[in-house]
Amino acid sequence: MTNLEPPVPQPGHHRPGITDSESSIELKDIAGLSQGQIVRKRFFRHRGALVAMVMLVFIVVLAFTSVGPQFGGFKPGGWWRYTWNIAVEIENAGRPTISFFPFTLGNHPFGQDEVGRDIFAVVMRGTQQSLMIMVIVGSIATLIGTVVGAISGFYRGITDAVLMRFTDIIITIPVIVIGAVLGRRFGIAGAPVLALILGLVLWTGLARLVRGEFLSLREREFVDAARVAGARDRRIIFRHILPNAIGVIIVNSTLLMAAAILIETGLSFLGYGVQAPDTSLGKIISENQGAFSTRPWLFWWPGLFIIAIALCINFIGDGLRDAFDPRQRRMPNDKALAKARRVGPGGGRPDAVPAPGGDLDRAATVVSSRGAGMQGNGGMGGIRGYNADKPDIDDRPKLGDN
């Protein structure tokens, strides 16, 4: 019979493979921080999300300052010498004039189309429209999905049944069909109308996720404490439950934005999205699909910006997911473990036992709490925490309230 060594006791948590030292270091790292500070600190540790955020800000600034935005008759100019809807004399046979060795932009760094329009100006205008659609769709779909999911999950019963059956009806209708039919009719009104149409049909997935979160959170102890204190339903929803579901809402909002820009690109490519005389990144590709073999640069630049925007949004959403999920743990390296360990008589050996009363022991006792629920953090051995609003005078029923 093989003799097996007894497992190393790991008090204070239930996840295998995590030592007391690792758990204590993370507890010490977030001790005294609020929920927002913890989320911000975790987000800024995500290098991919930071790089994506910087890149997205650069794209937004470049698109709106180069050729200037256009809102109806308001057309402030930008710093670029050409505009997206005016043709000029063709130079260099329409090929891009940008050079990297040595680095020079030239007059038309992205080239020109067959009529002489500057492709850089056209791509910047298309990026403006695609970004506008992304933001509007994300905002509308997030608002509708959150409201429907919150009401359905909190009240349950007949309210839940009616709202979820309505959601099922919207889900059964293909988004691309709705966008094609309505986009063809209203696309000439511009990107905002197309974004409104898409936002009214892309909220269903978020509504189901929010409903699931509310069904779980409404049974927690801090919600029961708020009810006992006399808080009304509106206050329980907005001050107690919704802050604990904000992570799911924000993360899925970023996914909705990334999906919206791809759907708009597909619709515009098929001719059902943004209509002339305006343009978008998908419409630029659609207009120049016949020149793929002769002038491929007409596809490179709009395609590059579509991919860059979608990837940036997805990376930011990935960083927000890790930041808001209290079950995500940042494992300390050997150097951090050695620094936190108080060496006993072992003289710095790896198996040295921490001295009583050391930093690890003090850090292990730090458990932040807010009101009736634990503050969400990843240092409690994978146990999910919750942020409860502190009871105050507003939790008491007012005279005349039901």
Side-chain angles (χ1 to χ4, degrees), residues 51 66 71 111 124 163 188 206 247 306 363 386:
V51 173
S66 57
F71 303 102
M124 291 300 102
L163 291 178
I188 195 171
L206 179 60
I306 291 173
Y386 298 92

Side-chain angles (χ1 to χ4, degrees), residues 72-89:
F74 180 67
K75 303 177 182 179
W79 50 265
W80 188 244
R81 64 176 66 93
Y82 303 108
T83 58
W84 59 275
N85 54 358
I86 297 180
V88 296
E89 183 180 356

Side-chain angles (χ1 to χ4, degrees), residues 148-166 211 215 218-219:
V148 172
I151 295 176
S152 177
F154 184 81
Y155 289 103
R156 299 188 300 184
I158 186 64
T159 303
D160 181 27
V162 171
L163 291 178
M164 286 299 101
R165 299 299 77 76
F166 175 72
R211 172 183 176 269
L215 284 174
R218 74 186 302 275
E219 306 299 332

Side-chain angles (χ1 to χ4, degrees), residues 116-165:
R117 292 186 303 172
D118 180 68
I119 297 301
F120 176 80
V122 175
V123 170
M124 291 300 102
R125 176 59 181 174
T127 303
Q128 290 181 11
Q129 298 294 82
S130 297
L131 288 172
M132 186 184 304
I133 291 174
M134 178 188 72
V135 173
I136 295 176
V137 170
S139 302
I140 294 177
T142 299
L143 178 62
I144 298 177
T146 301
V147 172
V148 172
I151 295 176
S152 177
F154 184 81
Y155 289 103
R156 299 188 300 184
I158 186 64
T159 303
D160 181 27
V162 171
L163 291 178
M164 286 299 101
R165 299 299 77 76

Side-chain angles (χ1 to χ4, degrees), residues 154 218-220 222-231 233 236 241:
F154 184 81
R218 74 186 302 275
E219 306 299 332
R220 299 294 175 180
F222 62 89
V223 176
D224 293 336
R227 288 196 180 101
V228 171
D233 290 348
I236 293 176
I241 300 181

Side-chain angles (χ1 to χ4, degrees), residues 180-345:
V181 173
L182 299 181
R184 186 71 173 179
R185 180 178 179 84
F186 301 103
I188 195 171
V193 177
L194 178 62
L196 177 63
I197 295 171
L198 293 177
L200 292 176
V201 296
L202 288 177
W203 54 268
T204 54
L206 179 60
R208 285 181 170 273
L209 291 172
V210 175
R211 172 183 176 269
E213 285 291 309
F214 268 68
L215 284 174
S216 175
L217 292 172
R218 74 186 302 275
E219 306 299 332
R220 299 294 175 180
E221 290 79 3
F222 62 89
V223 176
D224 293 336
R227 288 196 180 101
V228 171
R232 293 166 294 182
D233 290 348
R234 183 177 62 183
R235 180 175 176 83
I236 293 176
I237 292 175
F238 288 102
R239 295 295 299 274
H240 296 271
I241 300 181
L242 190 59
N244 291 288
I246 196 67
V248 173
I249 296 172
I250 292 179
V251 170
N252 286 275
S253 297
T254 60
L255 298 178
L256 277 174
M257 291 180 180
I261 195 171
L262 296 177
I263 292 174
E264 181 276 326
T265 299
L267 289 174
S268 297
F269 179 78
L270 296 174
Y272 299 111
V274 178
Q275 304 294 318
D278 216 329
T279 188
S280 67
L281 293 177
K283 184 172 177 57
I284 297 173
I285 296 177
S286 176
E287 290 175 344
N288 298 285
Q289 57 182 320
F292 181 77
S293 59
T294 58
R295 295 186 299 275
W297 57 85
L298 300 178
F299 294 84
W300 295 344
W301 303 112
L304 178 63
F305 275 83
I306 291 173
I307 295 173
I309 294 173
L311 285 179
C312 287
I313 294 297
N314 283 326
F315 273 113
I316 293 174
D318 187 53
L320 290 173
R321 180 200 64 196
D322 293 346
F324 278 100
D325 189 356
R327 291 164 290 189
Q328 296 289 335
R329 301 181 63 90
R330 180 176 180 265
M331 304 307 295
N333 52 28
D334 294 338
K335 184 178 180 180
L337 287 172
K339 182 179 179 181
R341 190 181 299 275
R342 292 299 189 186
V343 181

